[in-house]
Amino acid sequence: LKSDIAYCLEGGWIELKIFSVTASSGASTTPTIVTSASSLADFGNISVGTTSIEKAYTISGTNLTDNIVISAPPEFLISTTSGGGYSSSITLTPTGGTVPDTDILVVLAPTSTGSKSGTITNVSNGATTKNVTVSGTGVQSFTINGQVT
């Protein structure tokens, strides 16, 4: 916006120029979480008391003002370390508002038989929650004693 205004004051003219400038970098400052998947393939039949093989997705975040908290549904566990350190929840702390690409490793660890399903939630204040659905089945394990002939 530009406006030129001229005023006459007791024998002389004063010219007044008014400018209004709005600057925008075009970059969003909205906190954002990105996941590489909205669901993981079914874990299949997993014996009660054991854990499945790992399945993974990647998460990252930008313009974050708070941690990303990742929570697994019952009987599913998550980790950022392959082969262990599983828990029901993980917290990722941003540096300068950013969480870089991070692998989230998921296992099914059934404690009972039957169908298991749910949603892994990926949450940070101000960001849209990203969900990753998971499913599998807990089956009874058994031991065969005796000799095969």
Side-chain angles (χ1 to χ4, degrees):
L1 169 69
K2 177 183 174 191
S3 179
D4 291 335
I5 302 172
Y7 292 99
C8 179
L9 295 174
E10 296 183 30
W13 285 92
I14 296 176
E15 186 175 343
L16 178 62
K17 295 187 179 213
I18 301 172
F19 294 91
S20 175
V21 178
T22 302
S24 174
S25 67
S28 173
T29 57
T30 302
T32 303
I33 297 171
V34 175
T35 57
S36 63
S38 59
S39 65
L40 297 178
D42 189 88
F43 282 84
N45 294 331
I46 306 300
S47 295
V48 171
T50 66
T51 58
S52 67
I53 61 168
E54 296 171 337
K55 296 187 184 289
Y57 68 95
T58 302
I59 188 169
S60 62
T62 56
N63 300 314
L64 299 172
T65 58
D66 206 350
N67 296 334
I68 296 177
V69 178
I70 306 167
S71 301
E75 301 187 67
F76 289 88
L77 298 171
I78 52 180
S79 179
T80 56
T81 305
S82 183
Y86 301 110
S87 66
S88 60
S89 144
I90 297 172
T91 299
L92 302 177
T93 303
T95 300
T98 300
V99 169
D101 284 350
T102 304
D103 289 334
I104 304 302
L105 305 157
V106 184
V107 295
L108 171 58
T111 58
S112 63
T113 60
S115 180
K116 313 296 177 189
S117 64
T119 301
I120 299 171
T121 58
N122 303 270
V123 178
S124 183
N125 287 332
T128 299
T129 296
K130 295 292 184 168
N131 295 321
V132 177
T133 58
V134 290
S135 62
T137 304
V139 296
Q140 186 62 50
S141 60
F142 59 93
T143 302
I144 298 175
N145 291 318
Q147 191 173 24
V148 176
T149 56

